Amino acid sequence: MSQKIVSVKGMRDLLPGEIELWQHVEGLARELFGRYGYGELRTPMVEDTALFVRSVGEETDIVGKEMYTFDDKAGRSLSMRPEGTAPAARAYIEHSVATQEPLTRWFYMGPMFRYERMQTGRYRQFSQIGAEAYGSKDAAQDVEVMDMVARFLQALGLQDITLNLNSLGDEVCRPQYHAKLVEYLQAHKPELCEDCHRRLETNPLRVLDCKNPKCQAVAAQGPSVLDFLCEPCKAHFDDVQRKLTALEIRFVVNPRMVRGLDYYTRTVFEFVASHPALSTASTVSAGGRYDKLVKSLGGPDTPAVGFACGLDRLVLLLKESGKSFAQVPDLFIAAADPGSHDAAFALAGRLRHQGLRVDFDTRGGSLKSQMKRADKSGAHFTLVLGELERTSGQAKLKQMSNGQQWETSLEPAALIATVRTRKAESASGASSQG
RNA sequence: GCGGCCAUAGCUCAACUGGUCAGAGCGCCGGACUGUGACUCCGGAGGUUACCGGUUCGACCCCGGUUGGCCGCCCCA
């Protein structure tokens, strides 16, 4: 077999039949986020490599080994974006948005790229929907973002979602906690697993969410971030919880939850789904506050908070729910004989011009094959156009679900009216039965 | 990056310990039903058994490599 070219490992095609699920999720996000006052942002898929090194963190796995990095023809080091927060912050600074709009709210959606091993709900090209709010340090902003995610997941009909909440403190209190934690972990080093010995050197916080039972036992006895929060951070964290409660958003404080990216301060959160189909990909959305990021990238000192949802995982859950979002034609037009093919095609065109969803087999073929095609298309109605109809200007409209037929005029406006009326009637009839 | 499992038609899968085993169902196309789909019946197309090499008289089956997939670890959405 000559080598056929297939899609690159970890990247896939989305064909009609599946794409509708994606469109549904994306449409819901646009509508909902717009309702909260967020405007859509689109940034390039490729950025200066330095942007991610400086924001995400040089020592993180994402930057250290998962980025698609290459030199362009001028020798610039570019990287496919591995996440959306850094590009958004870059755009925020580049366009001096802060001077125009002190409180800025953006959302984005699109593909991200990370070179890693494939697994359930994990691809090398994956999609995220996220939002960022710049300019407010009030806990209300943290809660607005979490509320938005919660409503989003709820609107998708997803069940068994838990919101985990934690605070990582700020530049004042985090170093103190960090030092205490390292001291504690060093003392218990013999009880930790091999991986954690390494984590102790690279990122001690990660020991806290190691899945090894022995490590968990050690972590459970260790110092909690929450005991080390400075007054302002503690007040903020309390405020966040109070405001979440006021909005009736349930959450679980998890003092051992950490983040893989360096830029987070204070509030961090994760929405975790318990559906078995997700396996180890149960975190469906994650985010937090990053008050120092904008400044560290050369912008004005601007507090910010945001989140990202893994779209692939949401779609996976939606698929499991078995819901269908397929778009089917209102009407299929079949030509009874080859001599009517042109007339049928013209009629289909006129109806489409006026907004009707019409399918027609441009290949022609026997009436039977066209009827099969009509059935397969899922069209609500089929109209057979032949010599009789062309001379009389009248035709039969057949409802595919039950075979019932009605006489209708071929005049487009009248035909469309008939289709719409019959469709509405059958829809209400079906719903009143269910 | 590490470990385990796997790879047969478009899809889901068969083929005793290597010897007519390259098949079924679904899907697709056509016919029975010469102006009406679904149900039923009949027929047809479609695979050098992922790729490369090896062992053997003989390989879908055994061995090695490559590529790809699934699962776990790492990490993450």
Side-chain angles (χ1 to χ4, degrees):
Chain A
M1 189 188 288
S2 67
Q3 54 276 49
K4 71 178 165 192
I5 297 173
V6 296
S7 63
V8 170
K9 184 184 175 83
M11 308 190 181
R12 61 216 169 113
D13 304 310
L14 299 173
L15 276 52
E18 186 181 5
I19 201 75
E20 290 82 2
L21 289 166
W22 291 73
Q23 291 170 335
H24 177 253
V25 178
E26 290 164 355
L28 217 53
R30 284 205 170 84
E31 196 284 316
L32 185 67
F33 298 172
R35 203 194 299 168
Y36 278 76
Y38 287 66
E40 183 166 357
L41 168 75
R42 291 194 194 182
T43 65
M45 272 180 280
V46 173
E47 297 274 358
D48 190 321
T49 300
L51 173 64
F52 300 114
V53 173
R54 281 166 56 186
S55 59
V56 177
E58 196 150 12
E59 301 307 318
T60 60
D61 278 14
I62 291 178
V63 168
K65 55 187 195 187
E66 294 178 357
M67 278 210 297
Y68 278 90
T69 298
F70 59 94
D71 289 347
D72 72 1
K73 294 188 178 184
R76 288 176 282 250
S77 179
L78 306 180
S79 293
M80 309 279 279
R81 61 181 186 194
E83 57 103 43
T85 294
R90 193 223 79 232
Y92 178 81
I93 296 164
E94 185 168 333
H95 301 283
S96 301
V97 178
T99 65
Q100 315 286 331
E101 200 182 345
L103 178 59
T104 302
R105 297 175 172 108
W106 286 342
F107 74 89
Y108 62 84
M109 56 183 73
M112 306 293 165
F113 303 84
R114 289 181 201 171
Y115 191 93
E116 58 184 342
R117 205 80 157 81
M118 299 245 334
Q119 227 181 98
T120 303
R122 260 171 69 172
Y123 305 91
R124 289 183 172 179
Q125 177 179 328
F126 60 104
S127 273
Q128 287 190 335
I129 290 182
E132 318 286 353
Y134 304 93
S136 172
K137 59 183 187 347
D138 196 279
Q141 194 56 64
D142 306 48
V143 173
E144 176 184 278
V145 164
M146 286 185 265
D147 180 43
M148 200 160 81
V149 179
R151 294 305 127 188
F152 178 48
L153 299 176
Q154 186 185 337
L156 286 169
L158 305 182
Q159 308 292 321
D160 300 322
I161 307 273
T162 305
L163 168 59
N164 286 304
L165 186 69
N166 194 21
S167 175
L168 299 180
D170 60 13
E171 74 278 12
V172 174
C173 50
R174 179 142 54 160
Q176 295 174 27
Y177 169 65
H178 197 97
K180 258 293 189 312
L181 179 67
V182 171
E183 187 182 307
Y184 168 81
L185 291 176
Q186 286 291 357
H188 293 79
K189 193 169 175 180
E191 301 156 51
L192 299 174
C193 70
E194 223 170 281
D195 284 330
C196 282
H197 286 175
R198 179 178 48 74
R199 292 190 182 105
L200 203 43
E201 305 304 321
T202 58
N203 191 345
L205 287 176
R206 297 233 71 94
V207 174
L208 299 181
D209 66 351
C210 179
K211 285 157 196 79
N212 186 307
K214 288 176 73 178
C215 300
Q216 283 185 354
V218 172
Q221 297 302 312
S224 164
V225 226
L226 300 180
D227 296 331
F228 284 78
L229 294 182
C230 58
E231 269 316 307
C233 284
K234 182 164 188 345
H236 185 267
F237 192 51
D238 289 344
D239 201 13
V240 165
Q241 295 181 63
R242 204 161 36 241
K243 288 183 160 81
L244 280 170
T245 304
L247 283 179
E248 297 176 332
I249 299 169
R250 285 187 302 193
F251 61 91
V252 176
V253 172
N254 177 2
R256 283 183 289 157
M257 181 173 69
V258 298
R259 304 273 68 196
L261 287 63
D262 287 352
Y263 52 63
Y264 287 104
T265 53
R266 290 193 170 172
T267 312
V268 292
F269 60 87
E270 277 184 9
F271 284 84
V272 179
S274 62
H275 198 286
L278 286 173
S279 180
T280 52
S282 56
T283 299
V284 119
S285 176
R289 183 166 273 284
Y290 47 95
D291 291 341
K292 300 297 156 195
L293 179 63
V294 174
K295 190 177 184 186
S296 79
L297 288 174
D301 196 353
T302 309
V305 53
F307 76 90
C309 277
L311 191 43
D312 303 75
R313 293 175 184 184
L314 295 181
V315 169
L316 191 61
L317 285 175
L318 203 54
K319 202 182 289 179
E320 284 292 315
S321 77
K323 288 185 192 140
S324 170
F325 301 94
Q327 296 285 306
V328 299
D330 297 313
L331 177 68
F332 189 99
I333 294 181
D337 52 85
S340 299
H341 186 257
D342 287 353
F345 176 58
L347 177 60
R350 282 197 295 275
L351 295 171
R352 286 163 171 166
H353 299 339
Q354 297 193 35
L356 202 65
R357 225 178 154 81
V358 181
D359 198 359
F360 171 70
D361 193 337
T362 52
R363 301 169 307 171
S366 69
L367 179 60
K368 183 189 182 68
S369 67
Q370 291 178 73
M371 288 305 293
K372 280 187 173 177
R373 178 117 191 132
D375 183 44
K376 217 184 139 214
S377 76
H380 290 102
F381 303 94
T382 297
L383 183 148
V384 177
L385 186 67
E387 221 176 306
L388 279 171
E389 289 79 5
R390 283 190 285 140
T391 53
S392 70
Q394 292 286 116
K396 283 203 173 67
L397 191 65
K398 179 170 187 172
Q399 183 171 331
M400 299 303 277
S401 60
N402 58 14
Q404 200 172 342
Q405 302 205 62
W406 292 276
E407 195 69 29
T408 178
S409 162
L410 283 176
E411 199 280 310
L415 179 47
I416 289 173
T418 308
V419 167
R420 297 233 158 105
T421 310
R422 293 297 170 201
K423 188 177 163 187
E425 277 177 13
S426 69
S428 67
S431 63
S432 66
Q433 287 173 4

